[in-house]
């Protein structure tokens, strides 16, 4: 029986329209004659979604009783008995009520697929199991209902249902997602613009990766070896030298020229130990490429050009960016170099850019970060020089007519021995000395072509030659070993110095540190394991690379960190000399983990402290600032209603005036609280239109005494693009604040002027002023400078005013008033039809 097809509608958040899209697809299939039924669809009381169920056959749900309540779940047996071609199952990550056949709904779906029934379902990106930690860090909510990524990845079709955060919040505000009483809480918590934007990015990136997987699978199945330029992927070949930064920036500029361009920086390291580049420089280049939106890749390969080309073709790259070689001119005798080789072998489907830089032709000069171990190629050249070289030299000497003399001939053989020692070490040099001695005896010491020597002087000469050759080879090999040790110690000291610096600066995250371990030792994966006690199982605290292990005994290399933590590496067995540096990395990993946990605890404590401060401020507002006008109103009303007192008309007017004043004050306080709530939830939507300031500002001064303000707005002032209602509230709050802090008898000046493409509205008072360090703090919610000596508010007026100004594309800032006091400057945009026009200059004028 063929397995059923699975189609998933994936969304970034609830309310984007997944269920509606699924039901629309069901109607299309029914119209085409497909046997399609609804097994479980949850419309959450949304009218438009509920209407879409009309005309579709629905399988009755199964009722289950749990803890005294009755719940309904999908009746899996009924669906299997009905055996439709396609079935609709909403909310793939749902957890079934206890008593159901399966714990999770995705397990029910697996049974339906195995029975040959096609399934159309829905799921949100936050329910994917691998993204649980990421979603929790974004939203602060841990998703309890999850579905394994593999279940979603196996889907035959995945369709992203996308909606911008602004549109989704409008749907929420209109009551199309949740009931009205839940809207405010949802908008101010889970459905904040930042949360929705981050979740949307997660969904888009996850689907984009899935598209790449489909493309790679297709190319693999159809054996497509050529590169398909579906989008520009630019690989930057890095050597670890300082020119890498230039190459990364150049590649980023190339990627910007094409839509969806992607930059992948690749460092090719040999597989024989510590990397050849400076870890500090590689870390800088990694940070740079990630800041520019690219990715950094560490590739192990002994043949740099081949490894770079294989990596580029594996990621379906379209371009390679390399730097001009740093080799000196004479070094080209050893080969054409990486750039020329890559350009030659790249083929017609892969463009290669050779970028010049300041380090070109200056020599490599890289900080040595690994020992000068002899690679396979160098060892072969050493043996070739030591074994074949003497034979070739003998052929040359025996076929020339000039007699150089035995001493000169021995020096030539000695030169080959030294060359073998330099290339291959001691053993090829000893082989060269032995073969050279035999060849000198056979061809150049009488009797010729015999292994006997008549002249004792020649015996001494050959013996001395062999001893000198062996001694020189030994000295050269010892020098090479010492150089190797010095280079290795230098590399280790550089790594340890960089680690110590990162500890002091607190820069390295755990993932970045583990990635650096993997790169430094050329390993496949690195994992930091931890357990609560010696009898508890190990848990993976952090890991990088494919195939990370979950137990130290499964790793190729494990480095304990105390009794309850270990660093586990896979890929190859490290030599003992590398474990010293690995131990430093392991200790640093423990420090970084502790620092991360302390930071999380500090952030949580900071959030609690901020919440306590706001709750305290609200309590003060309710207990004093809101109760004071209520008490005044209550007293006046009680007095008016008293039967035992005859109030005169003047007394009644005074009491009514007090009621009106208290009501206005209460309305103002509550209005500011509501406005602050709207600003914090992001539900303020300005209606921008062109208007004159003299139409708005006078209306904003209704809450202050008429003789307390001087208004100076020029008649020729340009119009501004604002929301009249928001501007009125902002000016009213600022003006009331200025009047409140102005000395008795001093009037507040409100003036306006045009500067370039903006208009500045200045509210000037002669009050006590505010120090520079407190100018930003007075705009924070629930802040009253000097504890409000004439306190008549909850400290929200300026915060609301700044929020409204910024919502309209303007600003609100505080400046010192010359002579004492404070000036509030509201900067607004000029209307587009009144922007200043640059005068036409004669052609001869230049600037």
């Amino acid at each position: 029986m063929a397995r059923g097809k699975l189609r998933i509608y994936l969304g970034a958040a609830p309310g984007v329209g997944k269920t509606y899209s699924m039901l629309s697809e069901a109607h299309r299939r029914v119209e085409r004659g497909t046997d399609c039924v609804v097994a479980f669809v949850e419309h959450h009381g949304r009218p438009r979604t509920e209407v879409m169920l009309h005309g579709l056959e629905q399988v009755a749900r199964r009722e289950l009783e749990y803890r005294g309540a009755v719940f309904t779940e999908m009746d899996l047996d009924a669906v299997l008995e009905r055996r439709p071609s396609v079935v609709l199952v909403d909310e793939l990550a749902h957890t079934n009520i206890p008593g159901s056949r399966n714990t999770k709904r995705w397990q029910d779906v697996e049974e339906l697929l195995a029975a040959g029934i096609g399934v159309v379902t829905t799921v949100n990106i936050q329910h994917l199991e691998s993204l649980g930690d990421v979603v929790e860090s974004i939203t602060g909510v841990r998703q309890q209902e999850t579905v394994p990524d593999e279940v979603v990845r196996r889907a035959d079709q995945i369709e992203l249902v996308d909606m911008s955060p602004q549109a989704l919040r409008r749907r929420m505000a209109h009551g199309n997602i949740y009931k009205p009483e839940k809207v405010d809480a949802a908008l101010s918590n889970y459905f904040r613009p930042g949360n929705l934007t981050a979740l949307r990015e997660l969904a888009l990136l996850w689907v984009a990766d899935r598209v790449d997987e489909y493309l790679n699978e297709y190319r693999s199945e159809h054996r497509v070896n050529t590169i398909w330029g579906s989008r520009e992927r630019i690989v930057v070949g890095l050597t670890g030298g300082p020119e890498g930064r230039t190459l990364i920036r150049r590649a980023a500029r190339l990627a910007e020229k094409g839509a969806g361009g992607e930059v992948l920086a690749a460092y090719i390291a040999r597989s024989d130990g510590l990397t050849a580049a400076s870890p500090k420089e590689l870390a800088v280049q990694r940070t740079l490429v990630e800041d520019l939106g690219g990715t950094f890749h560490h590739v192990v390969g002994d043949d740099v050009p081949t490894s770079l080309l294989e990596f580029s073709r594996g990621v379906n790259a379209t371009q390679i960016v390399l730097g001009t070689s740093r080799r000196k001119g004479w070094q080209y005798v050893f080969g054409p170099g990486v750039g020329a080789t890559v350009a030659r072998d790249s083929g017609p489907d892969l463009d290669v850019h050779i970028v010049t830089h300041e380090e070109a032709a200056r020599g490599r000069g890289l900080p040595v970060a690994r020992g000068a171990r002899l690679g396979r190629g160098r060892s072969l050249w050493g043996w070739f020089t030591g074994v074949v070289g003497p034979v070739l030299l003998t052929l040359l000497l025996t076929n020339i007519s000039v007699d150089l003399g035995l001493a000169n001939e021995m020096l030539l053989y000695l030169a080959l021995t030294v060359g073998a020692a330099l290339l291959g070490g001691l053993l090829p040099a000893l082989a060269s000395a032995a073969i050279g001695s035999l060849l000198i005896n056979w061809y150049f010491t009488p009797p010729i072509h015999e292994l006997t020597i008549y002249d004792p002087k020649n015996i001494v000469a050959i013996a001395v030659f062999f001893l000198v050759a062996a001694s020189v080879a030994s000295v050269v090999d010892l020098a090479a070993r010492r150089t190797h040790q010095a280079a290795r110690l230098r590399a280790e000291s550089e790594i340890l110095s960089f680690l110590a610096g990162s500890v002091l600066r607190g820069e390295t995250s755990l993932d970045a540190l583990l990635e650096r371990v993997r790169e430094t030792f050329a390993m496949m994966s690195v994992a930091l394991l931890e357990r609560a006690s010696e009898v508890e199982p190990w848990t993976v605290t952090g890991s990088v690379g494919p195939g990370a292990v979950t137990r130290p005994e499964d790793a190729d290399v494990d480095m304990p960190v105390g009794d309850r933590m270990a660093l586990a590496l896979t890929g190859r067995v490290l030599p003992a000399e590398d474990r010293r540096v690995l131990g430093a990395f392991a200790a640093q990993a423990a420090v970084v983990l502790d620092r991360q946990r302390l930071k999380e605890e500090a952030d949580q404590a900071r959030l609690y402290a901020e919440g306590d401060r706001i709750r305290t401020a609200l309590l003060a507002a309710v207990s004093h600032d809101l109760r004071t006008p209520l008490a005044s109103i209550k007293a006046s009303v009680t007095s008016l209603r008293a039967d035992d007192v005859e109030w005169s008309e003047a007394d009644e007017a005074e009491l009514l005036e007090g009621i009106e004043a208290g009501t206005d004050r209460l309305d103002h306080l509550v209005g500011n609280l509501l406005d602050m709530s709207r600003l914090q939830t992001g539900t303020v939507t300005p209606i921008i239109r062109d208007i004159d300031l003299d139409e708005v500002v006078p209306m904003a001064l209704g809450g202050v005494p008429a003789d307390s303000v001087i208004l100076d707005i020029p008649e020729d002032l340009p119009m501004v693009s604002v929301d009249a209602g928001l501007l009125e509230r902002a000016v009213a709050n600022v003006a009331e604040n200025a009047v409140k802090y102005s000395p008795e008898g001093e009037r507040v000046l409100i003036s306006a002027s045009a500067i370039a493409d903006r208009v500045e509205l200045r509210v000037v008072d002669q009050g006590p002023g505010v120090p520079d360090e407190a100018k930003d703090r007075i705009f924070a919610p629930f802040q009253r400078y000097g504890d409000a000596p004439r306190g008549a508010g909850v400290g929200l007026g300026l915060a609301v005013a700044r929020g409204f100004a910024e919502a309209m594309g303007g600003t609100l800032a505080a400046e010192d008033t010359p002579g004492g006091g404070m000036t509030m400057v509201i900067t607004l945009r000029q209307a587009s039809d009144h922007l200043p026009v640059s005068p036409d200059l004669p052609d001869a004028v230049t600037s």
Side-chain angles (χ1 to χ4, degrees):
M1 180 184 300
R3 181 179 172 85
K5 300 292 185 180
L6 176 60
R7 180 186 181 99
I8 295 179
Y9 285 92
L10 177 69
V16 296
K18 302 180 302 299
T19 305
Y20 189 91
S21 299
M22 179 180 68
L23 292 171
S24 299
E25 173 66 17
H27 280 286
R28 286 192 293 271
R29 297 196 182 199
V30 170
E31 290 173 0
R32 295 196 299 265
T34 304
D35 183 13
C36 181
V37 302
V38 175
F40 189 97
V41 167
E42 188 61 70
H43 54 74
H44 296 288
R46 300 166 189 167
R48 295 185 60 190
T49 305
E50 188 174 2
V51 168
M52 292 296 293
L53 285 168
H54 297 168
L56 297 176
E57 178 185 347
Q58 301 186 47
V59 178
R61 300 184 186 183
R62 179 186 179 192
E63 293 186 352
L64 294 171
E65 185 175 351
Y66 180 65
R67 292 184 177 179
V70 177
F71 300 89
T72 61
E73 292 285 4
M74 178 178 69
D75 193 336
L76 180 59
D77 294 327
V79 176
L80 291 173
E81 183 179 354
R82 171 64 175 77
R83 293 196 62 82
S85 297
V86 178
V87 63
L88 273 58
V89 182
D90 206 1
E91 298 180 353
L92 183 63
H94 171 74
T95 301
N96 292 329
I97 296 297
S100 303
R101 180 190 301 184
N102 297 309
T103 305
K104 292 290 208 174
R105 184 165 293 163
W106 64 263
Q107 295 171 328
D108 295 339
V109 168
E110 286 294 313
E111 284 198 37
L112 294 173
L113 295 172
I117 301 174
V119 176
V120 183
T121 185
T122 65
V123 71
N124 284 327
I125 192 69
Q126 66 263 29
H127 295 299
L128 295 184
E129 200 168 72
S130 66
L131 300 178
D133 294 337
V134 179
V135 172
E136 183 179 11
S137 67
I138 294 170
T139 64
V141 178
R142 183 69 180 184
Q143 297 294 330
Q144 301 300 324
E145 295 187 331
T146 60
V147 57
D149 289 47
E150 186 59 29
V151 173
V152 181
R153 289 185 180 276
R154 284 201 306 264
D156 299 280
Q157 296 180 60
I158 299 177
E159 182 170 335
L160 178 66
V161 183
D162 189 30
M163 180 177 289
S164 69
Q166 295 78 10
L168 184 56
R169 286 173 60 83
R170 282 197 298 270
R171 290 195 64 195
M172 173 69 72
H174 294 159
N176 294 333
I177 300 176
Y178 292 156
K179 294 180 179 180
E181 61 269 19
K182 296 182 179 180
V183 170
D184 288 340
L187 288 174
S188 60
N189 290 283
Y190 194 88
F191 284 80
R192 294 195 299 268
N195 290 1
L196 297 179
T197 302
L199 292 173
R200 187 188 188 196
E201 183 180 19
L202 276 179
L204 291 171
L205 290 175
W206 197 91
V207 173
D209 289 340
R210 183 61 175 145
V211 172
D212 280 344
E213 290 178 11
Y214 280 134
L215 181 59
N216 292 332
E217 289 175 6
Y218 180 86
R219 295 178 70 230
S220 176
E221 291 173 0
H222 293 78
R223 299 181 180 179
V224 178
N225 296 320
T226 58
I227 292 174
W228 286 2
S230 53
R231 62 171 170 168
E232 291 294 336
R233 281 192 176 91
I234 303 173
V235 172
V236 186
L238 301 179
T239 64
E243 78 281 359
R245 307 180 199 181
T246 302
L247 303 184
I248 292 170
R249 293 189 181 97
R250 176 60 175 160
R253 291 196 296 271
L254 289 174
E256 289 175 356
K257 295 179 180 179
E262 182 180 358
V263 176
L264 301 91
Y267 172 69
I268 312 296
R270 299 187 182 277
S271 60
D272 55 355
L274 294 174
T275 59
S278 165
K280 184 176 181 180
E281 182 62 32
L282 279 179
V284 171
Q285 294 176 14
R286 169 193 287 275
T287 302
L288 176 60
V289 72
E290 290 175 350
D291 288 343
L292 294 174
T295 55
F296 186 93
H297 301 268
H298 187 273
V299 181
V300 178
D302 292 323
D303 189 336
V304 174
T306 301
S307 299
L308 183 60
L309 287 171
E310 288 178 351
F311 172 80
S312 301
R313 293 192 173 98
V315 298
N316 202 28
T318 56
Q319 302 179 55
I320 296 179
V321 174
L322 298 173
T324 305
S325 178
R326 288 181 287 113
R327 295 193 298 177
K328 302 283 188 182
W330 62 268
Q331 291 178 310
Y332 283 95
V333 299
F334 298 107
V338 173
T341 305
V342 170
R344 182 193 63 202
D345 299 337
S346 61
D349 52 358
L350 190 57
D351 296 334
V352 179
H353 301 265
I354 305 295
V355 179
T356 58
H357 51 83
E358 295 180 353
E359 303 296 324
R362 291 189 178 182
R364 295 190 179 275
L366 282 175
V368 179
R370 68 178 178 95
R373 291 192 179 105
L374 301 178
R376 181 179 179 184
R378 185 170 171 180
S379 297
L380 291 176
W381 276 107
W383 282 103
F384 180 85
T385 304
V387 176
V388 181
V391 176
L392 297 177
L393 178 60
T394 301
L395 291 175
L396 177 64
L397 294 177
T398 54
N399 286 281
I400 62 174
S401 57
V402 180
D403 185 9
L404 299 178
L406 182 61
N408 292 328
E409 292 164 348
M410 286 185 174
L411 288 176
L412 291 175
Y413 282 98
L414 182 61
L416 284 177
T417 301
V418 174
L422 290 173
L423 290 173
L426 182 60
L427 292 180
L430 293 177
S432 175
I435 294 173
S437 300
L438 292 176
L439 292 175
I440 291 172
N441 186 7
W442 184 268
Y443 287 101
F444 303 106
T445 57
I448 303 300
H449 299 158
E450 292 185 14
L451 293 178
T452 57
I453 304 174
Y454 287 161
D455 190 348
K457 295 180 181 178
N458 293 338
I459 296 177
V460 174
I462 293 176
V464 171
F465 164 78
F466 183 83
L467 291 175
V468 169
S471 300
V472 170
S474 177
V475 171
V476 170
D477 181 71
L478 181 61
R481 291 177 182 274
R482 292 291 182 264
T483 302
H484 159 64
Q485 293 173 359
R488 182 176 186 83
L489 290 174
R490 179 182 175 184
E492 290 182 2
S493 64
E494 186 174 348
I495 293 172
L496 294 175
S497 174
F498 183 72
L499 276 177
S502 65
V503 171
L504 294 175
R505 295 187 299 269
E507 296 174 347
T508 307
S509 67
L510 182 60
D511 289 342
L513 180 66
L514 296 181
E515 183 63 30
R516 187 168 295 125
V517 174
R518 190 173 75 93
E519 294 172 2
T520 301
F521 297 99
M523 305 299 284
M524 291 295 295
S525 68
V526 179
L528 182 63
L529 308 179
E530 189 180 22
R531 59 181 177 181
S533 65
E534 295 183 359
V535 297
E536 295 291 330
W538 292 94
T539 58
V540 180
T541 305
S543 66
V544 294
V549 298
T550 57
R551 300 186 306 168
E553 49 266 31
D554 297 334
D556 295 319
V557 180
D558 70 283
M559 174 60 66
V561 188
D563 296 332
R564 300 179 180 179
M565 194 176 295
L567 200 62
L569 296 80
T570 62
R572 64 189 181 92
V573 178
L574 286 181
E577 56 191 6
D578 285 348
R579 294 184 66 87
R580 178 172 51 187
V581 179
L582 182 61
F585 273 113
Q588 170 70 345
V591 172
V592 170
L593 181 61
D594 288 341
R595 184 187 296 119
Q596 285 186 356
R597 289 173 175 172
L598 289 174
K599 183 177 181 300
E600 291 172 359
E601 292 176 2
D603 291 342
Q604 191 67 31
R606 194 177 299 110
L607 289 175
Y608 289 148
E610 180 66 15
D612 289 341
R613 187 188 70 81
I614 294 177
R615 281 192 293 270
T616 302
L618 280 173
L619 182 61
V622 172
S623 62
H624 178 268
D625 297 301
L626 295 181
R627 291 186 62 184
T628 299
L630 284 174
S632 174
I633 296 171
K634 174 69 173 176
S636 298
V637 171
T638 302
S639 299
L640 288 173
R641 294 188 62 189
D643 297 332
D644 55 345
V645 179
E646 290 289 338
W647 299 104
S648 64
E649 292 185 0
D651 292 335
E652 288 183 356
E654 183 178 355
L655 290 173
L656 290 173
E657 183 180 355
I659 294 173
E660 184 178 11
T663 304
D664 290 341
R665 180 179 172 187
L666 188 61
D667 178 70
H668 180 73
L669 294 173
V670 173
N672 274 338
L673 286 171
L674 293 177
D675 288 340
M676 198 67 228
S677 175
R678 292 170 59 201
L679 286 170
Q680 290 182 341
T681 57
T683 55
V684 175
T685 305
I687 302 175
I688 304 297
R689 63 187 181 91
D690 297 344
I691 195 170
D692 288 315
L693 280 181
D694 55 10
E695 297 180 20
V696 179
V697 176
M699 298 175 61
L701 303 179
V704 298
D707 59 346
S708 63
V709 175
I710 301 174
L711 197 58
D712 180 18
I713 299 180
E715 294 182 358
D716 59 348
L717 191 71
M719 300 177 73
V720 292
S721 295
V722 296
D723 183 305
L726 297 185
L727 179 59
E728 181 182 340
R729 291 298 304 277
V731 174
N733 284 351
V734 173
E736 290 173 11
N737 187 75
V739 170
K740 180 173 65 176
Y741 285 98
S742 292
E744 294 292 340
E746 293 288 345
R747 302 171 72 184
V748 173
L749 172 63
I750 300 180
S751 63
S753 59
I755 301 176
D757 61 345
R758 64 187 187 276
V759 172
E760 286 189 350
L761 184 67
R762 309 178 76 86
V763 181
V764 185
D765 69 62
Q766 303 295 326
V770 175
D772 291 339
E773 62 272 12
K775 281 186 171 61
D776 283 334
R777 195 164 62 246
I778 61 176
F779 293 103
F782 303 108
Q783 294 292 324
R784 294 185 294 180
Y785 183 68
D787 199 23
R790 279 179 262 172
V794 294
L796 288 176
L798 293 181
V800 170
R802 171 175 274 190
F804 283 172
E806 292 176 349
M808 295 182 293
T811 60
L812 173 60
E815 298 178 357
D816 291 329
T817 301
M822 186 168 62
T823 299
M824 289 291 181
V825 183
I826 303 176
T827 304
L828 304 170
R829 294 179 298 178
Q830 282 192 28
S832 56
D833 294 339
H834 297 79
L835 291 177
V837 179
S838 300
D840 294 332
L841 298 177
D843 295 338
V845 176
T846 59
S847 59

